[in-house]
């Protein structure tokens, strides 16, 4: 019996040595397959890369990089199920691995599984990241925010963006990127703040100027919008916004601190424009329109009041502006698309609460 | 209690304790040889084929190596051809558990060369024979009683299988169901001890990594049971095709003139070399591809092709007289057949279905039940691999159907039929005519 135990011990040591040698061979083979897979991936041979990464992960299943490379290649080949299974098996041994969770989140996002994608994105974000991966973690959060915006979960997206804004690097590009996401999520105020931050760093940044102008416009600060938009590189959208912003600033008869003559001039101009627009519209439509006819009659009756001394009275100014807004809106509804002046009058009406009347 | 019976009782107790300790040591040794066998096959294959085998190597390595093994199997170790499981059964049931000392050594050597050189065969059957042979040799070396020597055969077999397949429970069930042929055998305790000892040794050397990456199993819809039943029927038919093909081809080889016996493995090797040129995926044990089937990594047409080619390759490798088993090939064929059925069900079923990997997994058990005819072992084996109770019902449905079909159309289990071809009839084997038992020393399954 003692001899047998001695034999068993010797056999154990021998077997362990042989197994260790085989293991070393397998590790070397796995590394060679992985390198080959990387080369094939760079050469665009996705099938070859998958085969090589698969062999690498079979030879050394404990090396997460091999399995991750396989999963990425499988996902690129749209073999999502197999990629997911490989990642889930890998995750069993490392449930808090950020990269594994991120890959799983991306696969879930690709198949529009919002619940699973959110779970894995959050797992990835709350995983331990090394200090040199801070930017990577921020990028993952922005990726999550984009995913949430795409799935109309804007309040969740804003939450993620607010967290992200804390560690945004001090570069104009980073602030502009964040501002755009805030803007897409419908948080114009924070978007404006981020554009402003970008402009503090790069005052002539065209994207930041256009974005800041747009957000100021949406927030109703047309004077600020004009200032930004005038400096922004011109394109169709910027030109249109700038025109409307200019009109809002120059055509508002109800603006504060206006001289009486200027207020009367603006009212007359707005009223004249609205009447002409409605008349032209009615003619162009060539169809009986009782509401438009009633508005035309009301405008004709009111036009008689737009002379001294009645035009000097604030009630006349208010009533005239309100009628001009209504006529302009009616014309814009009947003869779309609205002109820049239509839009400007509509915005002026909203600014003064006239649209509620 | 008087002094004499007390002393007799003490002697018996000591003998029992010694036997139990011996089973543990045999379990360790059987486990070690199984691990060494596995590792040696891997190293041999790596050295013969290299990292990425060229067409030249794929074509020529199997026949050239089979010339060497052909000589060894014809001249030096004539009783170690084939699997090793039927020989072990025969040794246990006909020869009082006596397995000559050269058998485990010869099986190890020829098994490593045959499987390592690309023959489509499994390592579990040879491991069983090596473990059982080692146990028998040790028992006789220690001058144990003939009954004790006989009892050690399934103990060694269980230990070796437990280590070779990393499934201790199904190794015990296999020893009872297949080797002993009695699930109520008194050797249950000894086989459990050996099996556990072997697995501990195996895991301490190779680690705890599972043999396969197994998908999480879910029965998504009750109607899926019908799909698993269909898999059972298909599995039964495929099992029959495999067994009949194997037996017919082996009979054909055995009718060839006696002087060609030495060259028959090389002829098989040449055909295998040609098949490896078509697809190296049928090479050797092939668990890498089973793993891919389990994880949805193979296309439908690939799985169908591999299922067919593996049947062809294994029957040629085995029938031409090489050393290696059909345990692993049956799992491979089952995984491919199951994966193919799963893909079709997944694509066309009007109800939600589980992953194709789950079907591949059940397919493995189904083919094992149909080919090896050890239905309990197959259920325990898949259960041990998955560690998931949910898989039991579909697995049992498919296994029983496959087993029933296979038994209905081929009453003699394949291991027994292989023995019959060599003129060996076990007391338990079902056969219309049972000639007198033949010594196990002449068998070569």
């Amino acid at each position: 019996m003692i001899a047998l135990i001695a034999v068993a011990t010797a056999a154990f040591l021998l077997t362990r040595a042989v197994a260790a040698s085989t293991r070393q061979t397998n590790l070397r083979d796995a590394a060679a397959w992985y390198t080959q897979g990387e080369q094939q991936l760079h050469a665009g041979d996705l099938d070859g890369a998958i085969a090589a990464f698969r062999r690498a992960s079979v030879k050394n299943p404990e090396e997460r990089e091999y399995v991750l490379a396989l999963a990425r290649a499988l996902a690129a080949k749209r073999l999502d199920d197999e990629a997911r299974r490989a990642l889930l098996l890998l995750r069993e041994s490392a449930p808090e691995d950020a990269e594994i969770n991120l890959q799983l989140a991306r696969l879930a996002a690709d198949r529009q599984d919002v619940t699973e994608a959110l779970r894995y994105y959050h797992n990835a974000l709350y995983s331990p990241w090394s200090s040199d991966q801070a930017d990577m973690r921020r990028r993952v959060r922005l990726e999550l925010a984009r995913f949430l915006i795409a799935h109309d979960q804007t309040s969740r997206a804003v939450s993620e963006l607010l967290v992200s804004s804390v560690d945004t690097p001090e570069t104009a590009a980073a602030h502009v990127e964040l501002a755009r996401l805030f803007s897409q999520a419908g948080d114009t105020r924070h978007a404006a703040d981020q554009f402003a931050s970008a402009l503090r760093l790069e005052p002539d940044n065209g994207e930041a100027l256009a974005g800041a102008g747009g957000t100021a416009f949406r927030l109703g600060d047309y004077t600020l919008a004009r200032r930004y938009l005038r400096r922004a590189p011109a394109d169709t959208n910027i030109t249109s916004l700038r025109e409307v912003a200019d009109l809002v600033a120059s055509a508002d008869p109800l603006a504060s601190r206006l001289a009486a003559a200027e207020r009367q001039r603006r009212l007359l101009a707005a009223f004249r424009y609205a009447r002409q627009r409605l008349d032209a519209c009615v003619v162009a439509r060539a169809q009986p329109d009782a509401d438009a006819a009633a508005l035309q009659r009301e405008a004709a009756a009111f036009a008689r009041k737009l002379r001294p001394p009645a035009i000097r009275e604030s009630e006349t100014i208010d009533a005239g502006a309100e009628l001009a807004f209504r006529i302009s809106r009616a014309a814009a509804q009947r003869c779309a698309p609205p002109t820049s002046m239509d839009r400007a009058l509509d915005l002026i009406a909203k600014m003064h609460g006239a649209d509620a009347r | 209690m008087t002094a004499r019976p007390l002393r007799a009782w003490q002697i018996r107790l000591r003998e029992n304790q010694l036997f139990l300790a011996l089973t543990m040591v045999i379990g360790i040794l059987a486990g070690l040889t199984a691990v060494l066998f596995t590792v040696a096959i891997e190293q041999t294959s790596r050295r013969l084929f290299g990292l990425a085998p060229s067409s030249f190597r794929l074509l020529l390595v199997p026949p050239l190596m089979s010339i060497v093994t052909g000589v060894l199997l014809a001249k030096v170790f004539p009783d170690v051809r084939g699997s090793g499981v039927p020989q072990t059964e025969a040794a246990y049931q006909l020869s009082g558990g006596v397995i000559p000392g050269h058998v485990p050594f010869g099986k190890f050597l020829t098994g490593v060369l045959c499987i390592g050189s690309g023959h489509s065969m499994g390592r579990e059957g040879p491991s069983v024979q090596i473990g059982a042979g080692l146990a028998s040799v040790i028992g006789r070396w220690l001058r144990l009683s003939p009954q004790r020597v006989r009892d050690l055969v399934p103990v060694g077999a269980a230990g070796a299988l437990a280590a070779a397949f990393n499934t201790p429970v199904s190794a015990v069930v296999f020893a009872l169901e297949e080797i002993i042929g009695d699930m109520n055998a008194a050797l249950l305790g000894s086989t459990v001890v050996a099996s556990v000892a072997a697995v501990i040794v195996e895991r301490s050397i190779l680690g705890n990594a599972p043999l396969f990456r197994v998908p999480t199993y879910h029965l998504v819809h009750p109607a899926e049971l019908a799909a698993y039943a269909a898999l059972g029927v298909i599995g039964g038919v495929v099992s029959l095709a495999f067994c009949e093909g194997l037996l017919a081809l082996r009979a054909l080889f055995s009718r060839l003139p006696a002087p060609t016996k030495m060259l028959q493995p090389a002829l098989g090797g040449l055909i295998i070399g040609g098949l490896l040129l078509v697809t190296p995926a049928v090479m050797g044990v092939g668990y890498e591809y089973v793993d891919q089937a389990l994880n949805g990594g193979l296309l439908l047409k690939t799985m169908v092709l591999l299922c067919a080619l593996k049947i062809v390759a294994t029957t040629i490798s085995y029938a031409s007289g090489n050393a290696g088993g059909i345990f692993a090939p049956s799992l491979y064929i089952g995984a491919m057949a199951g994966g193919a059925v799963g893909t079709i069900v997944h694509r066309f079923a009007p109800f939600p279905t589980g992953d194709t990997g789950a079907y591949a997994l059940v397919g493995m058990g189904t083919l094992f039940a149909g080919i090896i005819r050890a239905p309990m072992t197959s259920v325990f084996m898949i259960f041990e691999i998955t560690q998931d109770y949910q898989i039991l019902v579909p697995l049992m449905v498919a296994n029983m159907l496959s087993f029933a079909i296979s038994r209905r159309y081929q009453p003699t289990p394949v291991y027994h039929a292989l023995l019959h071809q060599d003129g060996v009839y076990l007391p338990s084997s079902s056969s219309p005519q049972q000639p007198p038992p033949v010594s196990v020393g002449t068998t070569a399954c």
Side-chain angles (χ1 to χ4, degrees):
Chain A
M1 198 59 152
I2 292 167
L4 264 183
I5 292 170
V7 168
T9 309
F12 179 80
L13 294 173
L14 170 73
T15 309
R16 204 173 60 169
V18 175
S21 158
T22 307
R23 170 97 183 124
Q24 287 306 314
T25 308
N26 281 341
L27 294 182
R28 278 197 301 274
D29 286 356
W33 281 116
Y34 177 72
T35 308
Q36 188 174 322
E38 291 275 277
Q39 287 166 354
Q40 283 169 316
L41 202 61
H42 287 129
D45 179 6
L46 203 49
D47 288 326
I50 287 173
F53 288 142
R54 190 174 268 147
R55 282 182 180 277
S57 58
V58 166
K59 292 278 182 191
N60 185 6
E62 285 157 22
E63 177 57 60
R64 85 187 247 293
E65 196 47 50
Y66 300 165
V67 184
L68 278 173
L70 173 63
R72 278 193 288 262
L74 288 168
K77 183 80 180 165
R78 308 306 309 161
L79 295 169
D80 288 358
D81 283 348
E82 198 193 348
R84 183 168 171 267
R85 269 191 286 265
L87 289 167
L88 285 174
L89 285 167
L90 192 62
R91 190 176 177 272
E92 281 176 13
S93 57
E96 292 185 347
D97 188 296
E99 180 68 17
I100 297 168
N101 281 297
L102 178 60
Q103 293 298 331
L104 281 165
R106 284 175 178 162
L107 287 175
D110 281 350
R111 63 172 191 281
Q112 310 297 320
D113 186 339
V114 178
T115 311
E116 191 170 309
L118 286 182
R119 189 170 78 236
Y120 287 125
Y121 268 124
H122 282 139
N123 285 342
L125 286 168
Y126 298 129
S127 296
W129 294 70
S130 59
S131 54
D132 59 335
Q133 289 181 307
D135 191 55
M136 177 66 189
R137 185 183 207 168
R138 190 184 66 84
R139 299 229 139 267
V140 171
R141 201 179 288 283
L142 295 185
E143 184 179 320
L144 168 60
R146 275 190 206 95
F147 175 74
L148 288 166
I149 291 166
H151 288 83
D152 293 329
Q153 302 208 6
T154 48
S155 56
R156 280 181 163 185
V158 168
S159 303
E160 298 297 340
L161 293 170
L162 286 171
V163 176
S164 188
S165 63
V166 174
D167 56 1
T168 301
E170 283 304 297
T171 64
H175 283 290
V176 166
E177 184 183 23
L178 190 59
R180 279 190 176 155
L181 288 170
F182 268 123
S183 186
Q184 286 167 19
D187 188 340
T188 312
R189 175 63 60 195
H190 282 107
D193 291 346
Q194 292 299 324
F195 280 126
S197 299
L199 286 171
R200 270 197 296 277
L201 293 163
E202 271 184 40
D204 294 325
N205 187 302
E207 287 179 90
L209 285 168
T215 49
F217 188 95
R218 283 200 294 282
L219 289 168
D221 190 344
Y222 301 103
T223 310
L224 187 63
R226 284 169 80 194
R227 202 184 307 151
Y228 286 134
L229 292 171
R230 276 179 186 163
R231 289 165 55 205
D235 67 22
T236 315
N237 190 36
I238 297 292
T239 308
S240 166
L241 270 187
R242 193 161 53 200
E243 192 179 349
V244 175
D246 284 343
L247 285 168
V248 170
S250 63
D252 182 1
L254 303 178
S256 56
R257 292 196 294 276
L258 277 182
E262 173 61 12
R263 192 179 303 282
Q264 289 164 22
R265 188 195 66 74
R266 288 185 180 190
L267 175 63
L268 287 170
F271 197 80
R272 195 177 309 118
Y273 168 80
R275 284 189 72 187
Q276 285 170 356
R277 173 97 164 102
L278 184 64
D279 292 346
C281 187
V282 167
V283 171
R285 280 164 61 94
Q287 284 173 352
D289 186 338
D291 291 341
L295 266 177
Q296 282 175 312
R297 281 195 299 278
E298 193 180 344
F302 196 86
R304 285 188 284 275
K305 291 187 184 173
L306 293 175
R307 295 190 193 106
I311 196 169
R312 294 193 194 102
E313 294 168 9
S314 63
E315 290 83 6
T316 309
I317 298 280
D318 287 347
E322 192 267 336
L323 183 58
F325 299 150
R326 267 199 295 136
I327 294 170
S328 168
R329 196 174 300 137
Q333 281 168 359
R334 283 167 175 77
C335 299
T339 63
S340 294
M341 189 61 181
D342 288 339
R343 289 175 64 196
L345 288 176
D346 190 45
L347 290 170
I348 293 166
K350 283 177 181 162
M351 270 166 58
H352 298 291
D355 60 325
R357 282 178 228 165
Chain B
M1 201 179 272
T2 57
R4 187 174 285 181
L6 180 66
R7 182 160 173 70
W9 179 76
Q10 282 175 330
I11 289 169
R12 254 204 322 275
L13 185 66
R14 209 173 59 186
E15 213 179 86
N16 284 339
Q17 286 168 338
L18 271 173
F19 185 75
L20 198 65
L22 184 61
T23 57
M24 198 181 294
V25 175
I26 284 175
I28 291 169
L29 282 171
L32 286 171
T33 50
V35 171
L36 198 59
F37 189 58
T38 303
V39 169
I41 290 171
E42 213 173 311
Q43 283 279 17
T44 305
S45 182
R46 174 69 177 79
R47 285 177 196 286
L48 290 175
F49 289 102
L51 183 64
S54 62
S55 302
F56 182 74
R57 284 196 189 202
L58 287 172
L59 181 67
L60 290 185
V61 166
L64 292 179
M65 194 50 69
S66 295
I67 291 173
V68 178
T69 53
V71 174
L72 287 172
L73 289 164
K75 301 289 182 192
V76 189
F77 309 111
D79 38 9
V80 299
R81 286 169 183 255
S83 162
V85 175
Q87 294 96 317
T88 307
E89 280 183 63
Y92 178 78
Q93 299 197 21
L94 300 175
S95 310
V98 175
I99 299 175
H102 68 272
V103 168
F105 176 71
K107 192 69 169 194
F108 189 99
L109 181 65
T110 54
V112 165
L113 293 177
C114 287
I115 303 169
S117 65
H119 275 287
S120 172
M121 303 176 103
R123 63 186 182 224
E124 290 79 9
S127 296
V128 165
Q129 194 180 15
I130 294 165
L134 210 60
S136 172
V137 169
I138 291 169
R140 281 180 284 135
W141 182 57
L142 292 175
R143 298 179 193 285
L144 297 182
S145 67
Q147 181 58 42
R148 289 295 197 192
V149 170
R150 183 173 184 261
D151 287 349
L152 284 179
V153 167
V155 168
L161 185 59
F165 206 63
N166 198 4
T167 50
V169 178
S170 50
V172 170
V173 178
F174 183 78
L176 299 179
E177 191 176 33
E178 190 63 38
I179 309 290
I180 304 174
D182 177 8
M183 293 293 282
N184 297 312
L187 285 170
L188 177 64
S190 309
T191 50
V192 167
V193 168
S195 182
V196 169
V199 164
I200 289 171
V201 164
E202 183 257 338
R203 290 184 186 173
S204 70
I205 294 172
L206 296 182
N208 282 328
L211 202 53
F212 306 112
R213 298 170 302 143
V214 178
T216 311
Y217 174 80
H218 298 291
L219 184 69
V220 179
H221 192 277
E224 262 199 296
L225 281 176
Y228 284 109
L231 174 57
V233 173
I234 292 167
V237 173
V238 175
S239 301
L240 264 179
F242 176 78
C243 294
E244 292 292 343
L246 176 64
L247 293 169
L249 198 63
R250 192 164 182 268
L252 186 72
F253 270 102
S254 67
R255 282 198 294 273
L256 294 175
T260 65
K261 199 166 185 177
M262 201 159 59
L263 293 173
Q264 286 177 14
L267 176 62
L270 193 61
I271 303 170
I272 292 299
L275 279 173
L276 293 186
L277 280 182
V278 177
T279 170
V282 295
M283 181 194 288
V285 178
Y287 283 155
E288 180 187 339
Y289 296 94
V290 173
D291 188 81
Q292 278 188 45
L294 289 175
N295 289 283
L298 296 174
L299 299 172
L300 173 62
K301 61 181 179 187
T302 309
M303 287 190 281
V304 172
L305 182 74
L306 289 183
C307 179
L309 287 180
K310 191 71 177 178
I311 291 174
V312 173
T314 306
T315 52
I316 289 168
S317 289
Y318 197 102
S320 60
N322 287 286
I326 56 172
F327 191 107
S330 68
L331 296 177
Y332 185 113
I333 297 163
M336 298 305 154
V341 170
T343 307
I344 292 167
V345 170
H346 200 64
R347 223 174 266 177
F348 299 109
F351 47 82
T353 63
D355 283 344
T356 56
Y359 285 82
L361 198 58
V362 172
M364 287 165 70
T366 303
L367 264 287
F368 190 86
I371 293 171
I372 310 293
R373 295 281 189 85
M376 290 305 293
T377 305
S378 73
V379 169
F380 275 97
M381 187 176 63
I382 301 300
F383 175 60
E384 266 191 295
I385 292 173
T386 58
Q387 298 180 359
D388 188 348
Y389 280 108
Q390 287 195 66
I391 202 163
L392 281 180
V393 174
L395 182 64
M396 286 165 79
V397 167
N399 279 15
M400 290 309 138
L401 276 167
S402 171
F403 179 74
I405 290 168
S406 179
R407 195 167 71 167
R408 168 72 181 78
Y409 293 101
Q410 212 235 342
T412 310
V414 70
Y415 283 146
H416 294 185
L418 289 166
L419 285 172
H420 293 181
Q421 286 188 334
D422 295 329
V424 179
Y425 292 83
L426 300 180
S428 59
S429 65
S430 46
S431 172
Q433 296 172 321
Q434 289 203 358
V438 176
S439 163
V440 71
T442 62
T443 63
C445 308

